[in-house]
Amino acid sequence: MPRITSARVIVTCPGRNFVTLKIETDQGVYGVGDATLNGRELAVASYLEDHVIPCLIGRDAHRIEDIWQYLYKGAYWRRGPVTMSAIAAVDMALWDIKGKVAGLPVYQLLGGAAREGCMVYGHANGSDVEETIERAHEYLEQGYKAVRLQSGVPGLAATYGVSGERFYYEPAKGSLPEETLWSTSKYMRHVPELFERGREALGWDIHLLHDVHHRLTPIEAGRLGKDLEPYRLFWLEDATPAENQAGFRLIRQHTTTPLAVGEIFNSVWDAKQLIEEQLIDYIRATVVHAGGITHLRRIAGLADLYQVRTGCHGATDLSPVSMAAALNFGLSVPNFGIQEYMRHSAETDEVFPHAYSLSNGLMHPGDKPGLGVDIDEALAAKYAYKRAYLPVNRLEDGTMFNW
């Protein structure tokens, strides 16, 4: 059995900040895990270095479940994004080790492939409707089967999901948080026009998605979902803040548009009521913020009982380590729905060489033993950490609002 002999945290910024945990064993086998928490990266790095790593030394790296329970139940202050991201990094690294020792990709250890590949969606972002449609066509030309449409809203200087980049959106920037303005009424008038134009231009053979980013009340979300029903969205994401899970009951009463939520969830408890009452159609919890592969499988197992499918978060605030883990998970889980895929910068891909690939709208983790991803530590050291924040949001009258 491989014993853990050392572990270290690697913080690097090849275009954006990433936190990686590398666990080494006495058999010369090592594993890597992602611990990136967007805008709070160093909090997780400290949690790992000061509190978790000392507890790992000497343990049997194969005892993934026992170590997971030790780190979760052994901490009186449970859950939360910092704790669960740290546990996730350990969990990913241990699965990576187990796969390498077995000589198998992790998805084979999870029961094998349940499909040929994981359908992914790209982000079509534009300053106006026509630019969004143009970006969507570019994804169709690349073979994508699903595209998220986000467009600038007339009368608002900046809109969530819209940036100058063609194929990805990176909101974390600046030494202090950027402040943006929001108007629900302007947004509600605009979005149905976006999807009416989207269906006209893109047809009905492509899946269309949209992210509200927690900015509506339940009744507003119900109204928007109803307005969008003629355009048959694949999903409406994060329609309202989900701290009050019961709020989704009101949305369900008013629309049949499929609902997705959960990218900021940390555990199965954040999704329990939503799943058991069938208030959502897709659970978006991600491998890095929800305790790793071990805990994400539990969330998916509960969801499967209620015909809720997975739709894991996959923005650029997840390193290629998380993407590899998500694809191994998604390829094996029976109730997979879709995987978000935002391309990383060329610098990031060089720091994190990986085996996963994209073909005709489907991604595959590859068949290298373990997760199929690594970190070039010498190259990572060339990119020093740069403090960056997610934006904050205010209403037009200056009131602080959800971002």
Side-chain angles (χ1 to χ4, degrees):
M1 56 184 170
R3 291 280 178 186
I4 297 173
T5 56
S6 65
R8 63 183 177 277
V9 175
I10 304 161
V11 180
T12 183
C13 187
R16 63 133 26 251
N17 293 316
F18 295 109
V19 179
T20 306
L21 176 68
K22 188 170 186 177
I23 296 179
E24 298 175 322
T25 70
D26 59 1
Q27 294 185 3
V29 180
Y30 67 85
V32 292
D34 185 14
T36 307
L37 182 60
N38 201 348
R40 297 293 185 269
E41 295 90 354
L42 297 186
V44 187
S46 174
Y47 192 98
L48 285 166
E49 291 173 338
D50 298 327
H51 306 291
V52 172
I53 288 175
C55 298
L56 297 177
I57 307 306
R59 293 185 180 274
D60 179 357
H62 276 331
R63 297 185 63 175
I64 297 176
E65 183 66 40
D66 181 67
I67 292 174
W68 195 98
Q69 295 294 338
Y70 178 88
L71 295 176
Y72 182 82
K73 292 180 178 177
Y76 185 74
W77 311 105
R78 297 183 186 180
R79 301 165 58 189
V82 173
T83 295
M84 298 305 282
S85 295
I87 292 175
V90 175
D91 189 75
M92 280 183 256
L94 294 180
W95 278 107
D96 193 24
I97 290 169
K98 188 178 285 289
K100 289 174 179 176
V101 171
L104 292 170
V106 167
Y107 76 83
Q108 294 288 14
L109 304 182
L110 301 177
R115 55 197 49 81
E116 297 305 311
C118 299
M119 182 172 69
V120 298
Y121 69 90
H123 291 198
N125 307 323
S127 59
D128 57 27
V129 171
E130 291 309 312
E131 186 178 13
T132 299
I133 301 305
E134 180 182 342
R135 296 287 180 266
H137 275 299
E138 292 173 355
Y139 279 106
L140 267 61
E141 291 167 3
Q142 296 173 47
Y144 280 74
K145 305 176 189 301
V147 180
R148 193 186 84 171
L149 303 184
Q150 305 290 144
S151 166
V153 175
L156 294 180
T159 305
Y160 167 77
V162 178
S163 71
E165 303 292 343
R166 294 178 71 84
F167 293 113
Y168 67 93
Y169 169 62
E170 176 49 68
K173 63 186 74 172
S175 59
L176 289 174
E178 177 186 4
E179 293 197 10
T180 57
L181 294 181
W182 176 254
S183 168
T184 298
S185 60
K186 291 174 181 175
Y187 168 79
M188 295 278 283
R189 290 195 300 269
H190 175 69
V191 175
E193 297 175 3
L194 169 64
F195 281 89
E196 180 180 19
R197 179 73 183 96
R199 280 301 180 204
E200 289 175 356
L202 304 172
W204 294 88
D205 293 330
I206 185 76
H207 297 301
L208 299 182
L209 303 83
H210 183 68
D211 186 359
V212 180
H213 218 255
H214 319 280
R215 296 188 177 184
L216 302 179
T217 65
I219 195 65
E220 289 167 344
R223 185 191 313 155
L224 180 62
K226 189 171 184 178
D227 289 345
L228 294 175
E229 284 178 7
Y231 312 114
R232 297 293 189 268
L233 270 63
F234 185 90
W235 77 32
L236 187 65
E237 176 187 343
D238 290 344
T240 193
E243 288 94 338
N244 177 17
Q245 296 184 43
F248 278 75
R249 293 175 183 164
L250 188 56
I251 305 175
R252 276 291 206 221
Q253 293 172 10
H254 293 280
T255 183
T256 58
T257 294
L259 302 174
V261 75
E263 72 179 53
I264 62 172
F265 288 179
N266 307 135
S267 79
V268 68
W269 304 105
D270 296 320
K272 183 176 182 291
Q273 182 178 7
L274 291 167
I275 291 171
E276 291 180 341
E277 295 188 22
Q278 296 177 276
L279 301 179
I280 57 173
D281 302 278
Y282 296 90
I283 178 64
R284 301 204 65 241
T286 184
V287 64
V288 66
H289 300 139
I293 292 172
T294 297
H295 194 63
L296 197 57
R297 292 179 75 198
R298 291 196 178 90
I299 296 174
L302 176 64
D304 194 29
L305 298 178
Y306 297 94
Q307 300 183 22
V308 174
R309 293 188 286 175
T310 67
C312 294
H313 177 63
T316 48
D317 60 338
L318 280 66
S319 85
V321 177
S322 270
M323 179 55 66
L327 292 172
N328 277 278
F329 164 82
L331 194 67
S332 64
V333 71
N335 55 324
F336 172 81
I338 199 168
Q339 172 65 52
E340 180 180 18
Y341 175 52
M342 290 177 67
R343 302 180 186 189
H344 290 103
S345 67
E347 294 84 357
T348 295
D349 285 336
E350 290 174 358
V351 170
F352 296 95
H354 51 265
Y356 60 74
S357 60
L358 171 67
S359 178
N360 196 31
L362 302 178
M363 290 189 73
H364 194 282
D367 287 308
K368 287 189 175 181
L371 293 176
V373 65
D374 205 346
I375 182 169
D376 184 330
E377 292 190 66
L379 189 56
K382 296 181 180 181
Y383 298 100
Y385 168 81
K386 297 178 181 178
R387 186 176 65 191
Y389 290 91
L390 292 170
V392 298
N393 221 21
R394 293 185 184 272
L395 299 180
E396 291 178 301
D397 68 358
T399 303
M400 280 299 301
F401 198 59
N402 301 304
W403 191 86

